[in-house]
Amino acid sequence: MNNSLLYQIALTLIPNIGCIQSRALLEHFEPEDIFKAPKRLLEKIDGLGEIRIRSIRGFNNFTEAENELAFIEKYKIQPLFIQDEVYPKRLLNCYDAPILLYYRGNANLNQSKIISIVGSRTHTDYGKAITETLVASLSGENVLVVSGLAYGIDSIAHKACLKNEMATVGVLAHGLNKIYPNSHKEMAKEMIKQGGLLTEFRHTALPDRHNFPSRNRIVAGMADATIVIETDIKGGSMITAELANGYNKDVFAIPGKVTDKKSSGSNHLIKNNKAILLTDASQLLETMGWTSTRKPEPPAAKELFISLTPEEKVIIGLINEKGVASIDDINLQSGLNSSMVAVSILNLEMKNVIQGMPGKMYRLY
């Protein structure tokens, strides 16, 4: 039996002792010694108080810690204690960093470029297209993408990473003995081979509502930047964005129509200077100081390597014919509805196929 790990798990089980108090204790004691510490020494630690000291000295629930240890060993889970070298270092700058994480995967959680992508569970076609295009544009840049394995933008981001052979990590709001939602089981299996699954919750923990804000702080804290694709003003992604701001992380948001409720949260973040307006992957790389590892493609060869939808091809044809085309021209002559035109135009801009000009005019690059 791994006694050190047993006491690390036990530390997370002490009633009334959270992440902040645990970090304070670890500044003075080894995990095992916390349970043997005399009251006079515990009283010297700020933030404990009588109730918490009694919780520590009266703790005897090592059976649950042993059960968790058995699960870890049986399923080859990698525990990441806050003092371990492989613990996600970016989380150490968060005052409420988890003391112990449970991990299945092969991604380096301390690699040089990590972003979190979050957004609405009930996404629009616009949100889906933006997410897929952004991820595809980052392929080959050695970026690890973190999200929450939820419906909507989260799962779209994970799937886009798998498709583009990029590492992606899902942060769970429950233990590693299940996948929630159940429909993401197959995707989660692929992610373990091409990224990983990470949680602070023991294997018996259910995906209860109060676990999701805790999950969100890990999504925000372990990345260099959080990107909000699409969210309502009261969406869970807004919590993640606020947490990222609180951790002094960069936050980006994709703008949307002012009349679109699904983009109201993103627009609010931009309007209130809580997020940088993001238009494409190259802007992200430049803002973060991440030099692109790709060689620029010759202009004549560019279109050969870009996957275009039928709608995008129609729009390119119109712009090519006119040289410069207005949004009104495109709406009138393409035969596409305005929503499809808007999504296609944004996609083409992010792929660096067309260039926006003043007066809602567009030309080919």
Side-chain angles (χ1 to χ4, degrees), residues 83-104:
Q83 296 174 332
D84 293 345
E85 188 61 31
V86 292
Y87 184 90
K89 295 295 188 293
R90 292 166 177 84
L91 285 174
L92 297 177
N93 297 319
C94 306
Y95 70 95
D96 56 352
I99 295 301
L100 184 61
L101 292 163
Y102 304 99
Y103 181 51
R104 287 191 70 189

mmCIF file with all atom_site columns, all heavy atoms in Angstrom, residues 83-104:
data_model
loop_
_atom_site.group_PDB
_atom_site.id
_atom_site.type_symbol
_atom_site.label_atom_id
_atom_site.label_alt_id
_atom_site.label_comp_id
_atom_site.label_asym_id
_atom_site.label_entity_id
_atom_site.label_seq_id
_atom_site.pdbx_PDB_ins_code
_atom_site.Cartn_x
_atom_site.Cartn_y
_atom_site.Cartn_z
_atom_site.occupancy
_atom_site.B_iso_or_equiv
_atom_site.pdbx_formal_charge
_atom_site.auth_seq_id
_atom_site.auth_comp_id
_atom_site.auth_asym_id
_atom_site.auth_atom_id
_atom_site.pdbx_PDB_model_num
ATOM 1   N N   . GLN A 1 83  ? 2.187   18.856 -4.468  1.00 0.00 ? 83  GLN A N   1
ATOM 2   C CA  . GLN A 1 83  ? 3.636   18.988 -4.308  1.00 0.00 ? 83  GLN A CA  1
ATOM 3   C C   . GLN A 1 83  ? 4.422   18.161 -5.333  1.00 0.00 ? 83  GLN A C   1
ATOM 4   O O   . GLN A 1 83  ? 5.649   18.208 -5.352  1.00 0.00 ? 83  GLN A O   1
ATOM 5   C CB  . GLN A 1 83  ? 4.048   18.564 -2.888  1.00 0.00 ? 83  GLN A CB  1
ATOM 6   C CG  . GLN A 1 83  ? 3.472   19.471 -1.798  1.00 0.00 ? 83  GLN A CG  1
ATOM 7   C CD  . GLN A 1 83  ? 3.762   18.961 -0.396  1.00 0.00 ? 83  GLN A CD  1
ATOM 8   O OE1 . GLN A 1 83  ? 3.924   17.751 -0.178  1.00 0.00 ? 83  GLN A OE1 1
ATOM 9   N NE2 . GLN A 1 83  ? 3.839   19.870 0.559   1.00 0.00 ? 83  GLN A NE2 1
ATOM 10  N N   . ASP A 1 84  ? 3.711   17.436 -6.199  1.00 0.00 ? 84  ASP A N   1
ATOM 11  C CA  . ASP A 1 84  ? 4.374   16.592 -7.190  1.00 0.00 ? 84  ASP A CA  1
ATOM 12  C C   . ASP A 1 84  ? 4.906   17.430 -8.354  1.00 0.00 ? 84  ASP A C   1
ATOM 13  O O   . ASP A 1 84  ? 4.322   18.465 -8.715  1.00 0.00 ? 84  ASP A O   1
ATOM 14  C CB  . ASP A 1 84  ? 3.411   15.540 -7.749  1.00 0.00 ? 84  ASP A CB  1
ATOM 15  C CG  . ASP A 1 84  ? 3.003   14.507 -6.712  1.00 0.00 ? 84  ASP A CG  1
ATOM 16  O OD1 . ASP A 1 84  ? 3.675   14.437 -5.664  1.00 0.00 ? 84  ASP A OD1 1
ATOM 17  O OD2 . ASP A 1 84  ? 2.007   13.793 -6.953  1.00 0.00 ? 84  ASP A OD2 1
ATOM 18  N N   . GLU A 1 85  ? 5.969   16.947 -8.979  1.00 0.00 ? 85  GLU A N   1
ATOM 19  C CA  . GLU A 1 85  ? 6.574   17.637 -10.109 1.00 0.00 ? 85  GLU A CA  1
ATOM 20  C C   . GLU A 1 85  ? 5.632   17.691 -11.310 1.00 0.00 ? 85  GLU A C   1
ATOM 21  O O   . GLU A 1 85  ? 5.655   18.650 -12.090 1.00 0.00 ? 85  GLU A O   1
ATOM 22  C CB  . GLU A 1 85  ? 7.878   16.941 -10.512 1.00 0.00 ? 85  GLU A CB  1
ATOM 23  C CG  . GLU A 1 85  ? 8.688   17.669 -11.547 1.00 0.00 ? 85  GLU A CG  1
ATOM 24  C CD  . GLU A 1 85  ? 9.152   19.047 -11.112 1.00 0.00 ? 85  GLU A CD  1
ATOM 25  O OE1 . GLU A 1 85  ? 9.385   19.252 -9.903  1.00 0.00 ? 85  GLU A OE1 1
ATOM 26  O OE2 . GLU A 1 85  ? 9.252   19.933 -11.988 1.00 0.00 ? 85  GLU A OE2 1
ATOM 27  N N   . VAL A 1 86  ? 4.794   16.652 -11.476 1.00 0.00 ? 86  VAL A N   1
ATOM 28  C CA  . VAL A 1 86  ? 3.913   16.590 -12.653 1.00 0.00 ? 86  VAL A CA  1
ATOM 29  C C   . VAL A 1 86  ? 2.573   17.283 -12.439 1.00 0.00 ? 86  VAL A C   1
ATOM 30  O O   . VAL A 1 86  ? 1.745   17.351 -13.355 1.00 0.00 ? 86  VAL A O   1
ATOM 31  C CB  . VAL A 1 86  ? 3.660   15.115 -13.070 1.00 0.00 ? 86  VAL A CB  1
ATOM 32  C CG1 . VAL A 1 86  ? 4.927   14.490 -13.612 1.00 0.00 ? 86  VAL A CG1 1
ATOM 33  C CG2 . VAL A 1 86  ? 3.106   14.310 -11.900 1.00 0.00 ? 86  VAL A CG2 1
ATOM 34  N N   . TYR A 1 87  ? 2.338   17.808 -11.245 1.00 0.00 ? 87  TYR A N   1
ATOM 35  C CA  . TYR A 1 87  ? 1.103   18.553 -10.984 1.00 0.00 ? 87  TYR A CA  1
ATOM 36  C C   . TYR A 1 87  ? 1.039   19.759 -11.932 1.00 0.00 ? 87  TYR A C   1
ATOM 37  O O   . TYR A 1 87  ? 2.064   20.396 -12.196 1.00 0.00 ? 87  TYR A O   1
ATOM 38  C CB  . TYR A 1 87  ? 1.091   19.014 -9.528  1.00 0.00 ? 87  TYR A CB  1
ATOM 39  C CG  . TYR A 1 87  ? -0.170  19.727 -9.090  1.00 0.00 ? 87  TYR A CG  1
ATOM 40  C CD1 . TYR A 1 87  ? -1.241  19.015 -8.562  1.00 0.00 ? 87  TYR A CD1 1
ATOM 41  C CD2 . TYR A 1 87  ? -0.288  21.120 -9.192  1.00 0.00 ? 87  TYR A CD2 1
ATOM 42  C CE1 . TYR A 1 87  ? -2.396  19.672 -8.150  1.00 0.00 ? 87  TYR A CE1 1
ATOM 43  C CE2 . TYR A 1 87  ? -1.436  21.779 -8.783  1.00 0.00 ? 87  TYR A CE2 1
ATOM 44  C CZ  . TYR A 1 87  ? -2.491  21.043 -8.265  1.00 0.00 ? 87  TYR A CZ  1
ATOM 45  O OH  . TYR A 1 87  ? -3.641  21.688 -7.860  1.00 0.00 ? 87  TYR A OH  1
ATOM 46  N N   . PRO A 1 88  ? -0.153  20.094 -12.475 1.00 0.00 ? 88  PRO A N   1
ATOM 47  C CA  . PRO A 1 88  ? -0.258  21.249 -13.386 1.00 0.00 ? 88  PRO A CA  1
ATOM 48  C C   . PRO A 1 88  ? 0.209   22.545 -12.714 1.00 0.00 ? 88  PRO A C   1
ATOM 49  O O   . PRO A 1 88  ? -0.474  23.090 -11.849 1.00 0.00 ? 88  PRO A O   1
ATOM 50  C CB  . PRO A 1 88  ? -1.755  21.299 -13.718 1.00 0.00 ? 88  PRO A CB  1
ATOM 51  C CG  . PRO A 1 88  ? -2.259  19.917 -13.461 1.00 0.00 ? 88  PRO A CG  1
ATOM 52  C CD  . PRO A 1 88  ? -1.447  19.403 -12.311 1.00 0.00 ? 88  PRO A CD  1
ATOM 53  N N   . LYS A 1 89  ? 1.363   23.030 -13.110 1.00 0.00 ? 89  LYS A N   1
ATOM 54  C CA  . LYS A 1 89  ? 2.012   24.145 -12.422 1.00 0.00 ? 89  LYS A CA  1
ATOM 55  C C   . LYS A 1 89  ? 1.207   25.445 -12.493 1.00 0.00 ? 89  LYS A C   1
ATOM 56  O O   . LYS A 1 89  ? 1.267   26.276 -11.580 1.00 0.00 ? 89  LYS A O   1
ATOM 57  C CB  . LYS A 1 89  ? 3.405   24.393 -13.017 1.00 0.00 ? 89  LYS A CB  1
ATOM 58  C CG  . LYS A 1 89  ? 4.388   23.250 -12.801 1.00 0.00 ? 89  LYS A CG  1
ATOM 59  C CD  . LYS A 1 89  ? 4.722   23.052 -11.327 1.00 0.00 ? 89  LYS A CD  1
ATOM 60  C CE  . LYS A 1 89  ? 5.842   22.046 -11.115 1.00 0.00 ? 89  LYS A CE  1
ATOM 61  N NZ  . LYS A 1 89  ? 5.460   20.665 -11.494 1.00 0.00 ? 89  LYS A NZ  1
ATOM 62  N N   . ARG A 1 90  ? 0.462   25.642 -13.551 1.00 0.00 ? 90  ARG A N   1
ATOM 63  C CA  . ARG A 1 90  ? -0.317  26.877 -13.665 1.00 0.00 ? 90  ARG A CA  1
ATOM 64  C C   . ARG A 1 90  ? -1.356  26.991 -12.552 1.00 0.00 ? 90  ARG A C   1
ATOM 65  O O   . ARG A 1 90  ? -1.731  28.099 -12.156 1.00 0.00 ? 90  ARG A O   1
ATOM 66  C CB  . ARG A 1 90  ? -0.996  26.945 -15.037 1.00 0.00 ? 90  ARG A CB  1
ATOM 67  C CG  . ARG A 1 90  ? -0.014  27.130 -16.209 1.00 0.00 ? 90  ARG A CG  1
ATOM 68  C CD  . ARG A 1 90  ? -0.704  26.838 -17.523 1.00 0.00 ? 90  ARG A CD  1
ATOM 69  N NE  . ARG A 1 90  ? 0.123   27.046 -18.701 1.00 0.00 ? 90  ARG A NE  1
ATOM 70  C CZ  . ARG A 1 90  ? 0.975   26.152 -19.176 1.00 0.00 ? 90  ARG A CZ  1
ATOM 71  N NH1 . ARG A 1 90  ? 1.129   24.973 -18.563 1.00 0.00 ? 90  ARG A NH1 1
ATOM 72  N NH2 . ARG A 1 90  ? 1.687   26.408 -20.259 1.00 0.00 ? 90  ARG A NH2 1
ATOM 73  N N   . LEU A 1 91  ? -1.817  25.847 -12.057 1.00 0.00 ? 91  LEU A N   1
ATOM 74  C CA  . LEU A 1 91  ? -2.804  25.865 -10.973 1.00 0.00 ? 91  LEU A CA  1
ATOM 75  C C   . LEU A 1 91  ? -2.206  26.362 -9.661  1.00 0.00 ? 91  LEU A C   1
ATOM 76  O O   . LEU A 1 91  ? -2.933  26.837 -8.783  1.00 0.00 ? 91  LEU A O   1
ATOM 77  C CB  . LEU A 1 91  ? -3.389  24.461 -10.759 1.00 0.00 ? 91  LEU A CB  1
ATOM 78  C CG  . LEU A 1 91  ? -4.405  23.970 -11.794 1.00 0.00 ? 91  LEU A CG  1
ATOM 79  C CD1 . LEU A 1 91  ? -4.776  22.519 -11.529 1.00 0.00 ? 91  LEU A CD1 1
ATOM 80  C CD2 . LEU A 1 91  ? -5.661  24.843 -11.797 1.00 0.00 ? 91  LEU A CD2 1
ATOM 81  N N   . LEU A 1 92  ? -0.894  26.258 -9.514  1.00 0.00 ? 92  LEU A N   1
ATOM 82  C CA  . LEU A 1 92  ? -0.260  26.688 -8.269  1.00 0.00 ? 92  LEU A CA  1
ATOM 83  C C   . LEU A 1 92  ? -0.424  28.182 -8.030  1.00 0.00 ? 92  LEU A C   1
ATOM 84  O O   . LEU A 1 92  ? -0.309  28.651 -6.895  1.00 0.00 ? 92  LEU A O   1
ATOM 85  C CB  . LEU A 1 92  ? 1.231   26.323 -8.278  1.00 0.00 ? 92  LEU A CB  1
ATOM 86  C CG  . LEU A 1 92  ? 1.553   24.826 -8.334  1.00 0.00 ? 92  LEU A CG  1
ATOM 87  C CD1 . LEU A 1 92  ? 3.059   24.609 -8.404  1.00 0.00 ? 92  LEU A CD1 1
ATOM 88  C CD2 . LEU A 1 92  ? 0.959   24.089 -7.147  1.00 0.00 ? 92  LEU A CD2 1
ATOM 89  N N   . ASN A 1 93  ? -0.682  28.936 -9.092  1.00 0.00 ? 93  ASN A N   1
ATOM 90  C CA  . ASN A 1 93  ? -0.901  30.375 -8.956  1.00 0.00 ? 93  ASN A CA  1
ATOM 91  C C   . ASN A 1 93  ? -2.340  30.710 -8.582  1.00 0.00 ? 93  ASN A C   1
ATOM 92  O O   . ASN A 1 93  ? -2.669  31.890 -8.416  1.00 0.00 ? 93  ASN A O   1
ATOM 93  C CB  . ASN A 1 93  ? -0.539  31.077 -10.265 1.00 0.00 ? 93  ASN A CB  1
ATOM 94  C CG  . ASN A 1 93  ? 0.926   30.929 -10.606 1.00 0.00 ? 93  ASN A CG  1
ATOM 95  O OD1 . ASN A 1 93  ? 1.785   31.017 -9.727  1.00 0.00 ? 93  ASN A OD1 1
ATOM 96  N ND2 . ASN A 1 93  ? 1.234   30.684 -11.867 1.00 0.00 ? 93  ASN A ND2 1
ATOM 97  N N   . CYS A 1 94  ? -3.184  29.700 -8.461  1.00 0.00 ? 94  CYS A N   1
ATOM 98  C CA  . CYS A 1 94  ? -4.591  29.886 -8.074  1.00 0.00 ? 94  CYS A CA  1
ATOM 99  C C   . CYS A 1 94  ? -4.715  29.610 -6.576  1.00 0.00 ? 94  CYS A C   1
ATOM 100 O O   . CYS A 1 94  ? -4.310  28.549 -6.105  1.00 0.00 ? 94  CYS A O   1
ATOM 101 C CB  . CYS A 1 94  ? -5.491  28.947 -8.867  1.00 0.00 ? 94  CYS A CB  1
ATOM 102 S SG  . CYS A 1 94  ? -5.282  29.077 -10.666 1.00 0.00 ? 94  CYS A SG  1
ATOM 103 N N   . TYR A 1 95  ? -5.269  30.544 -5.852  1.00 0.00 ? 95  TYR A N   1
ATOM 104 C CA  . TYR A 1 95  ? -5.318  30.425 -4.392  1.00 0.00 ? 95  TYR A CA  1
ATOM 105 C C   . TYR A 1 95  ? -6.099  29.195 -3.923  1.00 0.00 ? 95  TYR A C   1
ATOM 106 O O   . TYR A 1 95  ? -5.846  28.657 -2.848  1.00 0.00 ? 95  TYR A O   1
ATOM 107 C CB  . TYR A 1 95  ? -5.926  31.693 -3.775  1.00 0.00 ? 95  TYR A CB  1
ATOM 108 C CG  . TYR A 1 95  ? -7.403  31.857 -4.030  1.00 0.00 ? 95  TYR A CG  1
ATOM 109 C CD1 . TYR A 1 95  ? -8.343  31.419 -3.103  1.00 0.00 ? 95  TYR A CD1 1
ATOM 110 C CD2 . TYR A 1 95  ? -7.866  32.431 -5.211  1.00 0.00 ? 95  TYR A CD2 1
ATOM 111 C CE1 . TYR A 1 95  ? -9.708  31.555 -3.341  1.00 0.00 ? 95  TYR A CE1 1
ATOM 112 C CE2 . TYR A 1 95  ? -9.215  32.575 -5.457  1.00 0.00 ? 95  TYR A CE2 1
ATOM 113 C CZ  . TYR A 1 95  ? -10.129 32.140 -4.520  1.00 0.00 ? 95  TYR A CZ  1
ATOM 114 O OH  . TYR A 1 95  ? -11.476 32.259 -4.763  1.00 0.00 ? 95  TYR A OH  1
ATOM 115 N N   . ASP A 1 96  ? -7.064  28.740 -4.745  1.00 0.00 ? 96  ASP A N   1
ATOM 116 C CA  . ASP A 1 96  ? -7.915  27.608 -4.361  1.00 0.00 ? 96  ASP A CA  1
ATOM 117 C C   . ASP A 1 96  ? -7.611  26.364 -5.197  1.00 0.00 ? 96  ASP A C   1
ATOM 118 O O   . ASP A 1 96  ? -8.491  25.562 -5.481  1.00 0.00 ? 96  ASP A O   1
ATOM 119 C CB  . ASP A 1 96  ? -9.388  27.979 -4.491  1.00 0.00 ? 96  ASP A CB  1
ATOM 120 C CG  . ASP A 1 96  ? -9.753  28.473 -5.903  1.00 0.00 ? 96  ASP A CG  1
ATOM 121 O OD1 . ASP A 1 96  ? -8.823  28.668 -6.718  1.00 0.00 ? 96  ASP A OD1 1
ATOM 122 O OD2 . ASP A 1 96  ? -10.956 28.661 -6.169  1.00 0.00 ? 96  ASP A OD2 1
ATOM 123 N N   . ALA A 1 97  ? -6.350  26.195 -5.570  1.00 0.00 ? 97  ALA A N   1
ATOM 124 C CA  . ALA A 1 97  ? -5.964  25.034 -6.390  1.00 0.00 ? 97  ALA A CA  1
ATOM 125 C C   . ALA A 1 97  ? -6.281  23.725 -5.669  1.00 0.00 ? 97  ALA A C   1
ATOM 126 O O   . ALA A 1 97  ? -6.106  23.616 -4.454  1.00 0.00 ? 97  ALA A O   1
ATOM 127 C CB  . ALA A 1 97  ? -4.468  25.100 -6.687  1.00 0.00 ? 97  ALA A CB  1
ATOM 128 N N   . PRO A 1 98  ? -6.752  22.711 -6.407  1.00 0.00 ? 98  PRO A N   1
ATOM 129 C CA  . PRO A 1 98  ? -7.030  21.402 -5.794  1.00 0.00 ? 98  PRO A CA  1
ATOM 130 C C   . PRO A 1 98  ? -5.751  20.812 -5.192  1.00 0.00 ? 98  PRO A C   1
ATOM 131 O O   . PRO A 1 98  ? -4.664  20.942 -5.764  1.00 0.00 ? 98  PRO A O   1
ATOM 132 C CB  . PRO A 1 98  ? -7.515  20.553 -6.972  1.00 0.00 ? 98  PRO A CB  1
ATOM 133 C CG  . PRO A 1 98  ? -7.917  21.536 -8.021  1.00 0.00 ? 98  PRO A CG  1
ATOM 134 C CD  . PRO A 1 98  ? -7.047  22.728 -7.848  1.00 0.00 ? 98  PRO A CD  1
ATOM 135 N N   . ILE A 1 99  ? -5.898  20.165 -4.070  1.00 0.00 ? 99  ILE A N   1
ATOM 136 C CA  . ILE A 1 99  ? -4.752  19.526 -3.412  1.00 0.00 ? 99  ILE A CA  1
ATOM 137 C C   . ILE A 1 99  ? -4.354  18.249 -4.145  1.00 0.00 ? 99  ILE A C   1
ATOM 138 O O   . ILE A 1 99  ? -3.176  17.919 -4.265  1.00 0.00 ? 99  ILE A O   1
ATOM 139 C CB  . ILE A 1 99  ? -5.096  19.209 -1.937  1.00 0.00 ? 99  ILE A CB  1
ATOM 140 C CG1 . ILE A 1 99  ? -5.311  20.519 -1.167  1.00 0.00 ? 99  ILE A CG1 1
ATOM 141 C CG2 . ILE A 1 99  ? -3.996  18.389 -1.281  1.00 0.00 ? 99  ILE A CG2 1
ATOM 142 C CD1 . ILE A 1 99  ? -4.106  21.434 -1.177  1.00 0.00 ? 99  ILE A CD1 1
ATOM 143 N N   . LEU A 1 100 ? -5.345  17.544 -4.651  1.00 0.00 ? 100 LEU A N   1
ATOM 144 C CA  . LEU A 1 100 ? -5.089  16.264 -5.305  1.00 0.00 ? 100 LEU A CA  1
ATOM 145 C C   . LEU A 1 100 ? -5.974  16.140 -6.540  1.00 0.00 ? 100 LEU A C   1
ATOM 146 O O   . LEU A 1 100 ? -7.176  16.416 -6.489  1.00 0.00 ? 100 LEU A O   1
ATOM 147 C CB  . LEU A 1 100 ? -5.383  15.117 -4.331  1.00 0.00 ? 100 LEU A CB  1
ATOM 148 C CG  . LEU A 1 100 ? -5.094  13.696 -4.797  1.00 0.00 ? 100 LEU A CG  1
ATOM 149 C CD1 . LEU A 1 100 ? -3.613  13.501 -5.114  1.00 0.00 ? 100 LEU A CD1 1
ATOM 150 C CD2 . LEU A 1 100 ? -5.533  12.686 -3.732  1.00 0.00 ? 100 LEU A CD2 1
ATOM 151 N N   . LEU A 1 101 ? -5.355  15.741 -7.651  1.00 0.00 ? 101 LEU A N   1
ATOM 152 C CA  . LEU A 1 101 ? -6.082  15.515 -8.892  1.00 0.00 ? 101 LEU A CA  1
ATOM 153 C C   . LEU A 1 101 ? -5.914  14.061 -9.308  1.00 0.00 ? 101 LEU A C   1
ATOM 154 O O   . LEU A 1 101 ? -4.905  13.425 -8.977  1.00 0.00 ? 101 LEU A O   1
ATOM 155 C CB  . LEU A 1 101 ? -5.541  16.421 -10.001 1.00 0.00 ? 101 LEU A CB  1
ATOM 156 C CG  . LEU A 1 101 ? -5.792  17.918 -9.843  1.00 0.00 ? 101 LEU A CG  1
ATOM 157 C CD1 . LEU A 1 101 ? -4.869  18.715 -10.750 1.00 0.00 ? 101 LEU A CD1 1
ATOM 158 C CD2 . LEU A 1 101 ? -7.248  18.259 -10.132 1.00 0.00 ? 101 LEU A CD2 1
ATOM 159 N N   . TYR A 1 102 ? -6.895  13.550 -10.052 1.00 0.00 ? 102 TYR A N   1
ATOM 160 C CA  . TYR A 1 102 ? -6.850  12.189 -10.577 1.00 0.00 ? 102 TYR A CA  1
ATOM 161 C C   . TYR A 1 102 ? -6.860  12.278 -12.100 1.00 0.00 ? 102 TYR A C   1
ATOM 162 O O   . TYR A 1 102 ? -7.700  12.964 -12.685 1.00 0.00 ? 102 TYR A O   1
ATOM 163 C CB  . TYR A 1 102 ? -8.051  11.378 -10.078 1.00 0.00 ? 102 TYR A CB  1
ATOM 164 C CG  . TYR A 1 102 ? -8.165  11.354 -8.569  1.00 0.00 ? 102 TYR A CG  1
ATOM 165 C CD1 . TYR A 1 102 ? -9.046  12.206 -7.892  1.00 0.00 ? 102 TYR A CD1 1
ATOM 166 C CD2 . TYR A 1 102 ? -7.390  10.479 -7.806  1.00 0.00 ? 102 TYR A CD2 1
ATOM 167 C CE1 . TYR A 1 102 ? -9.148  12.183 -6.513  1.00 0.00 ? 102 TYR A CE1 1
ATOM 168 C CE2 . TYR A 1 102 ? -7.488  10.447 -6.426  1.00 0.00 ? 102 TYR A CE2 1
ATOM 169 C CZ  . TYR A 1 102 ? -8.371  11.308 -5.781  1.00 0.00 ? 102 TYR A CZ  1
ATOM 170 O OH  . TYR A 1 102 ? -8.451  11.280 -4.411  1.00 0.00 ? 102 TYR A OH  1
ATOM 171 N N   . TYR A 1 103 ? -5.937  11.570 -12.736 1.00 0.00 ? 103 TYR A N   1
ATOM 172 C CA  . TYR A 1 103 ? -5.702  11.781 -14.174 1.00 0.00 ? 103 TYR A CA  1
ATOM 173 C C   . TYR A 1 103 ? -5.558  10.459 -14.917 1.00 0.00 ? 103 TYR A C   1
ATOM 174 O O   . TYR A 1 103 ? -4.879  9.540  -14.456 1.00 0.00 ? 103 TYR A O   1
ATOM 175 C CB  . TYR A 1 103 ? -4.428  12.611 -14.336 1.00 0.00 ? 103 TYR A CB  1
ATOM 176 C CG  . TYR A 1 103 ? -4.028  12.943 -15.752 1.00 0.00 ? 103 TYR A CG  1
ATOM 177 C CD1 . TYR A 1 103 ? -4.931  13.500 -16.650 1.00 0.00 ? 103 TYR A CD1 1
ATOM 178 C CD2 . TYR A 1 103 ? -2.720  12.727 -16.189 1.00 0.00 ? 103 TYR A CD2 1
ATOM 179 C CE1 . TYR A 1 103 ? -4.555  13.828 -17.941 1.00 0.00 ? 103 TYR A CE1 1
ATOM 180 C CE2 . TYR A 1 103 ? -2.325  13.053 -17.478 1.00 0.00 ? 103 TYR A CE2 1
ATOM 181 C CZ  . TYR A 1 103 ? -3.252  13.599 -18.348 1.00 0.00 ? 103 TYR A CZ  1
ATOM 182 O OH  . TYR A 1 103 ? -2.870  13.920 -19.627 1.00 0.00 ? 103 TYR A OH  1
ATOM 183 N N   . ARG A 1 104 ? -6.211  10.398 -16.078 1.00 0.00 ? 104 ARG A N   1
ATOM 184 C CA  . ARG A 1 104 ? -5.998  9.312  -17.038 1.00 0.00 ? 104 ARG A CA  1
ATOM 185 C C   . ARG A 1 104 ? -5.689  9.938  -18.384 1.00 0.00 ? 104 ARG A C   1
ATOM 186 O O   . ARG A 1 104 ? -6.505  10.698 -18.917 1.00 0.00 ? 104 ARG A O   1
ATOM 187 C CB  . ARG A 1 104 ? -7.247  8.426  -17.173 1.00 0.00 ? 104 ARG A CB  1
ATOM 188 C CG  . ARG A 1 104 ? -7.522  7.524  -15.995 1.00 0.00 ? 104 ARG A CG  1
ATOM 189 C CD  . ARG A 1 104 ? -8.593  6.509  -16.337 1.00 0.00 ? 104 ARG A CD  1
ATOM 190 N NE  . ARG A 1 104 ? -8.102  5.521  -17.299 1.00 0.00 ? 104 ARG A NE  1
ATOM 191 C CZ  . ARG A 1 104 ? -8.871  4.615  -17.912 1.00 0.00 ? 104 ARG A CZ  1
ATOM 192 N NH1 . ARG A 1 104 ? -10.177 4.587  -17.669 1.00 0.00 ? 104 ARG A NH1 1
ATOM 193 N NH2 . ARG A 1 104 ? -8.348  3.752  -18.756 1.00 0.00 ? 104 ARG A NH2 1
#
